[in-house]
């Protein structure tokens, strides 16, 4: 009995060290090669499934925006901003069925977005002011959690809670952003963070004689907090504007915080000049898009093109850009619970991330990147998900020239 | 004259009879022992009643008609403590709301164009947006309805 206890104590003491050692070994590599599971979704015609509608003039939402959630058995639920349906794929990646998740909405443009898996029982979606919708894995609508603001991102937490990052219009043309933790059963909510911003910087507003308004926006201004869920069900909030990370219990109590100690990338004059050059070189493409995708008259289009040419010089105005890029782009939690913080890179289709230990005390482990041979990875919200030592991603097939993406399952090498 | 009933005796005591009848009954009571006894009994009841009314401090001489009492109650309801307190509470609530409402005065809905801008700026890969030198363009009509949105960037293909 005594020997048994000694062995047990040794295992308890040593195990965390062994666990973190395995993880840190993986991320010590400068590049982690992701190998796509070749037979995953082999029955699907990805090009047909993921191409946007041919009549793009009717499509008001742009960005090829998909979001996925992976159920405990490996099946995947996916939303597509072109359609109100939710797609379901089995654990082999083959398409099974679609569910209509378009709960009656106040806004015609509101389309459900898959956000995650709740309590291993439901997948849930956000749909504008219509709140958080919970569905069982057969697609049956089970519950709606009402909110009075517009959701950006939603994460499941422990103790039957969900965290919602959202915004709402405020007076004086301000926008109020907030992070709210809401109870699934009671609907009680607590706001753990909020801020007021005014989207003036980063925007060039052009008023046209018809009364229409044309807005040109550059990215980098007003980065939003990034949410993640720890292995213990706590909420992780990472702030790209200052590099701070805060960890909250599901009850909304802040447990700890630390700074990522990342050096932000300064925006240089050459970056600004490049933006201006892109804007200037795209005058013809700008006109093409207006002719092809709108019902404006030729007179109106000519005015827009003239105004675009006259105003595009404002892209050289340093005041519309922030002093530096946000400290990071996205945060993710891997299967071990490590925090991966994605950085800005200076090359297209590359990625780089810092790894912080799974105990989330701010201990930096290493910097690495992911690489694949066939795909350009996508690190947008809810498109890069760790699940049982695999990674699920909506990735762009390099052979597709960007015309379509597909659901890919990678084995982490 | 016949002997009096109890009611007639009560009216005699309350002076609710005509002068002739009153005199007639007075003369009868003087000469009739039965009516004299009845008069004493009813008078005794009236005095007892007055005694009870005095306990409640009711001025029996000047109790106004019921109609006047009801009208008086109607005119005094606005001065009752309950009414005054209700008015005060309503005023307080209105003052509080007038102070607080401007801070919660928000539009009823978010415009489609705002939704588009916020979603595209917030949801897409920021690193990709920056490396692509992406410029987001939205065009809204005079009613603030989104007419068109797209992104221009440094790629050769049309970016959606």
């Amino acid at each position: 009995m005594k020997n048994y206890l000694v062995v047990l104590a040794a295992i308890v003491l040593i195990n965390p060290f062994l666990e973190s050692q395995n993880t840190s070994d993986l991320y010590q590599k400068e590049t982690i090669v992701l190998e796509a599971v070749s037979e995953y979704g082999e029955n699907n015609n990805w090009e047909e499934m993921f191409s946007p509608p041919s009549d793009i003039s009717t499509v008001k939402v742009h960005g090829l925006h998909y979001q996925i959630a992976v159920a405990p058995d490996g099946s995947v639920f996916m939303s597509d901003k072109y359609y109100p349906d939710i797609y379901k794929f089995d654990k082999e990646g083959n398409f099974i069925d679609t569910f209509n998740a378009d709960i009656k909405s106040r806004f015609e443009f509101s389309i459900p977005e898959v956000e995650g898996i709740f309590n291993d029982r439901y997948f849930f979606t956000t749909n504008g002011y219509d709140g958080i919708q919970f569905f069982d894995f057969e697609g049956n609508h089970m519950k709606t959690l009402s909110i009075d603001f517009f959701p950006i991102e939603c994460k499941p937490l422990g103790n039957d809670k969900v965290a919602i990052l959202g915004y709402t219009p405020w007076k004086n043309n301000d926008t109020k952003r907030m992070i709210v933790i809401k109870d699934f059963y009671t609907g009680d909510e607590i706001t753990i963070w909020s801020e007021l911003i005014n989207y003036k910087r980063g925007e060039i507003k052009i008023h046209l004689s018809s009364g229409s308004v044309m807005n040109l926006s550059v990215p980098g201004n007003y980065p939003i907090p990034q949410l993640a869920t720890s292995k213990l069900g706590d909420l992780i909030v990472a702030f790209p504007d200052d590099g701070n990370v805060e960890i909250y219990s599901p009850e909304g109590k802040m447990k700890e915080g630390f700074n990522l100690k990342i050096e932000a990338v300064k925006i240089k004059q050459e970056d600004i000049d490049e933006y201006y050059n892109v804007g200037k070189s795209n005058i013809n493409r700008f006109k093409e898009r207006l002719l092809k995708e709108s019902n404006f008259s030729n007179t109106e289009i000519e005015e827009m093109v003239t105004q675009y040419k006259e105003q595009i010089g404002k892209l050289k105005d340093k005041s519309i850009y922030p002093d530096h890029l946000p400290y990071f782009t996205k945060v993710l939690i891997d299967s071990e619970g490590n925090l991966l913080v994605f950085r800005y890179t200076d090359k297209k289709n590359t990625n780089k991330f810092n790894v912080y230990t799974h105990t989330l005390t701010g201990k930096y482990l290493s910097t690495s990147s992911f690489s694949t041979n066939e795909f350009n990875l996508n690190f947008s919200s809810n498109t890069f998900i760790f699940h049982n030592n695999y990674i699920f991603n909506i990735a762009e097939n390099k052979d597709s020239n960007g015309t379509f993406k597909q659901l890919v399952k990678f084995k982490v090498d | 004259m016949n002997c009096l009933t109890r009611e007639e005796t009560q009216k005699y005591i309350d002076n609710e009879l005509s002068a002739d009848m009153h005199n007639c009954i007075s003369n009868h009571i003087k000469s009739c022992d039965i009516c004299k006894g009845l008069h004493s009994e009813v008078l005794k009841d009236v005095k007892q009643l007055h005694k009870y009314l005095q306990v409640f401090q009711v001025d029996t001489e000047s109790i106004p008609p019921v109609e006047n009492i009801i009208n008086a109650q109607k005119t005094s309801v606005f001065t009752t403590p309950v009414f005054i307190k209700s008015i005060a509470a309503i005023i307080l609530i209105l003052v509080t709301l007038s102070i607080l409402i401007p801070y919660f005065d928000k539009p009823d809905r978010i415009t489609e164009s705002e939704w588009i801008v916020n979603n595209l700026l917030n949801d897409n890969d920021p690193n990709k947006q920056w490396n692509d030198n992406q410029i987001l363009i939205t065009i809204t009509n005079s009613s603030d309805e989104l007419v068109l949105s797209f992104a221009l960037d440094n790629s050769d293909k049309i970016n959606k």
Side-chain angles (χ1 to χ4, degrees):
Chain A
M1 181 66 176
K2 190 176 176 181
N3 290 340
Y4 172 76
L5 287 172
V6 169
V7 170
L8 184 62
I11 291 171
V12 168
L13 286 170
I14 294 172
N15 189 47
F17 175 72
L18 286 175
E19 186 178 327
S20 63
Q21 195 174 41
N22 289 339
T23 304
S24 58
D25 283 346
L26 173 69
Y27 293 122
Q28 290 303 325
K29 299 178 186 177
E30 189 177 337
T31 305
I32 300 168
V33 177
L34 298 179
E35 201 178 300
V37 176
S38 56
E39 58 272 17
Y40 188 74
E42 60 186 353
N43 296 337
N44 300 329
N45 183 331
W46 295 111
E47 184 172 355
E48 191 178 290
M49 189 177 293
F50 276 69
S51 291
S54 57
D55 180 13
I56 57 175
S57 64
T58 64
V59 175
K60 291 188 172 180
V61 180
H62 298 273
L64 274 182
H65 190 208
Y66 305 93
Q67 297 196 168
I68 56 173
V70 184
D73 67 351
S75 55
V76 175
F77 298 91
M78 186 191 81
S79 59
D80 175 353
K81 269 200 170 175
Y82 290 121
Y83 304 106
D85 295 334
I86 305 296
Y87 297 76
K88 182 177 179 181
F89 301 86
D90 64 18
K91 55 185 179 180
E92 280 79 39
N94 296 313
F95 170 72
I96 299 177
D97 199 359
T98 57
F99 311 124
N100 189 323
D102 186 18
I103 309 300
K104 187 177 175 186
S105 170
R106 288 165 54 182
F107 306 109
E108 62 174 313
F109 61 88
S110 193
I111 288 181
E113 298 178 37
V114 166
E115 298 287 347
I117 302 294
F118 181 78
N119 282 0
D120 287 343
R121 290 168 59 193
Y122 307 127
F123 73 90
F124 59 98
T125 68
T126 52
N127 192 358
Y129 274 122
D130 295 317
I132 318 297
Q133 315 287 345
F134 293 81
F135 302 83
D136 67 14
F137 293 157
E138 307 309 314
N140 300 308
H141 178 246
M142 304 304 290
K143 189 181 175 82
T144 297
L145 276 184
S146 298
I147 51 176
D148 62 355
F149 53 90
F150 224 82
I152 298 172
E153 192 176 2
C154 191
K155 293 293 180 193
L157 303 178
N159 299 346
D160 306 318
K161 306 280 196 292
V162 291
I164 310 158
L165 166 67
Y167 65 97
T168 189
W170 211 250
K171 63 172 190 167
N172 297 331
N173 290 321
D174 285 345
T175 296
K176 184 177 182 181
R177 291 177 180 165
M178 68 281 283
I179 298 174
V180 164
I181 293 178
K182 203 167 175 76
D183 189 281
F184 173 81
Y185 289 107
T186 65
D188 293 341
E189 64 180 53
I190 176 172
T191 300
I192 61 167
W193 173 86
S194 67
E195 70 170 359
L196 281 179
I197 57 173
N198 194 303
Y199 285 111
K200 282 184 180 169
R201 194 180 67 214
E203 194 176 80
I204 300 170
K205 201 181 277 285
I206 303 170
H207 294 270
L208 305 167
S209 59
S210 61
S212 297
V213 177
M214 191 163 61
N215 277 302
L216 280 62
S217 305
V218 297
N221 290 292
Y222 312 109
I224 59 167
Q226 300 294 313
L227 305 187
T229 308
S230 76
K231 292 279 277 186
L232 299 176
D234 293 327
L235 174 65
I236 302 165
V237 184
F239 297 92
D241 53 352
D242 58 17
N244 286 329
V245 175
E246 294 173 358
I247 299 163
Y248 292 85
S249 70
E251 286 67 39
K253 187 177 175 185
M254 185 169 158
K255 293 170 76 171
E256 60 185 311
F258 56 90
N259 189 279
L260 296 169
K261 296 189 177 65
I262 295 175
E263 193 176 332
V265 176
K266 288 206 180 305
I267 294 179
K268 303 183 285 291
Q269 187 59 46
E270 56 201 67
D271 298 321
I272 295 173
D273 292 341
E274 202 169 331
Y275 251 95
Y276 167 70
N277 290 333
V278 167
K280 193 176 172 188
S281 65
N282 274 302
I283 293 175
N284 288 337
R285 192 182 301 171
F286 173 73
K287 188 173 179 179
E288 276 173 25
R289 297 299 293 267
L290 292 176
L291 287 168
K292 190 174 180 183
E293 298 180 33
S294 73
N295 296 322
F296 292 120
S297 66
N298 287 336
T299 309
E300 286 173 316
I301 290 176
E302 284 307 319
E303 184 193 1
M304 285 182 196
V305 172
T306 302
Q307 285 286 346
Y308 180 90
K309 285 179 189 172
E310 288 177 5
Q311 303 287 339
I312 201 67
K314 288 181 181 175
L315 284 175
K316 288 194 284 188
D317 183 1
K318 203 173 177 185
S319 66
I320 72 168
Y321 301 87
D323 291 333
H324 58 78
L325 290 175
Y327 286 81
F328 57 87
T329 60
K330 297 288 175 186
V331 298
L332 295 173
I333 293 287
D334 69 8
S335 298
E336 305 297 322
N338 297 304
L339 179 68
L340 276 56
V341 179
F342 286 81
R343 313 282 300 278
Y344 279 89
T345 62
D346 55 3
K347 288 180 187 172
K348 200 171 171 176
N349 290 326
T350 58
N351 67 88
K352 181 171 72 175
F353 57 89
N354 286 4
V355 185
Y356 298 82
T357 182
H358 63 94
T359 54
L360 294 175
T361 54
K363 185 183 172 189
Y364 164 78
L365 288 180
S366 59
T367 298
S368 186
S369 63
F370 291 116
S371 160
T372 72
N373 293 325
E374 301 167 61
F375 300 95
N376 291 324
L377 299 172
N378 187 338
F379 297 100
S380 302
S381 298
N382 288 34
T383 60
F384 196 91
I385 296 185
F386 288 84
H387 181 79
N388 294 342
N389 294 323
Y390 287 92
I391 290 174
F392 292 79
N393 189 224
I394 302 289
E396 181 184 297
N397 192 307
K398 288 181 180 175
D399 293 334
S400 73
N401 290 322
T403 56
F404 70 92
K405 295 184 178 177
Q406 68 184 77
L407 177 61
V408 188
K409 182 177 178 180
F410 294 104
K411 187 165 173 27
V412 180
D413 189 4
Chain B
M1 184 179 184
N2 293 332
C3 286
L4 303 170
T5 63
R6 195 176 187 87
E7 186 180 343
E8 287 169 338
T9 307
Q10 181 73 53
K11 285 185 179 179
Y12 170 77
I13 292 171
D14 291 341
N15 207 19
E16 292 177 3
L17 300 172
S18 64
D20 288 343
M21 183 59 78
H22 189 87
N23 290 334
C24 189
I25 290 175
S26 293
N27 292 330
H28 178 79
I29 287 172
K30 286 176 186 173
S31 60
C32 176
D33 289 335
I34 296 171
C35 290
K36 189 185 288 183
L38 179 60
H39 177 263
S40 298
E41 189 181 317
V42 175
L43 186 63
K44 187 179 172 186
D45 289 341
V46 169
K47 285 181 180 174
Q48 192 68 32
L49 182 63
H50 285 178
K51 190 178 172 185
Y52 290 148
L53 288 174
Q54 279 174 1
V55 170
F56 296 104
Q57 297 179 344
V58 175
D59 180 1
T60 58
E61 298 285 331
S62 60
I63 294 176
V66 171
E67 188 179 326
N68 290 350
I69 293 173
I70 290 172
N71 287 336
Q73 284 177 344
K74 276 186 183 174
T75 56
S76 69
V77 68
F78 296 108
T79 58
T80 60
V82 171
F83 181 79
I84 291 171
K85 286 177 185 174
S86 302
I87 291 295
I90 290 170
I91 291 171
L92 184 62
I93 290 170
L94 287 173
V95 168
T96 304
L97 285 175
S98 67
I99 294 171
L100 292 178
I101 276 179
Y103 291 94
F104 299 102
D105 180 21
K106 47 189 179 183
D108 183 45
R109 56 167 287 174
I110 189 166
T111 61
E112 190 177 359
S113 58
E114 286 174 328
W115 182 75
I116 295 287
V117 170
N118 280 313
N119 273 278
L120 284 177
L121 288 180
N122 294 332
D123 284 351
N124 278 345
D125 185 345
N127 189 38
K128 190 173 187 306
Q129 285 180 321
W130 182 254
N131 278 301
D132 285 349
N133 299 115
Q134 194 178 87
I135 302 169
L136 174 63
I137 297 177
T138 59
I139 301 173
T140 54
N141 61 19
S142 53
S143 304
D144 208 17
E145 293 166 339
L146 180 73
V147 177
L148 184 64
S149 78
F150 55 91
L152 298 176
D153 62 19
N154 57 15
S155 61
D156 291 331
K157 57 188 177 297
I158 291 175
N159 187 52
K160 299 191 184 80

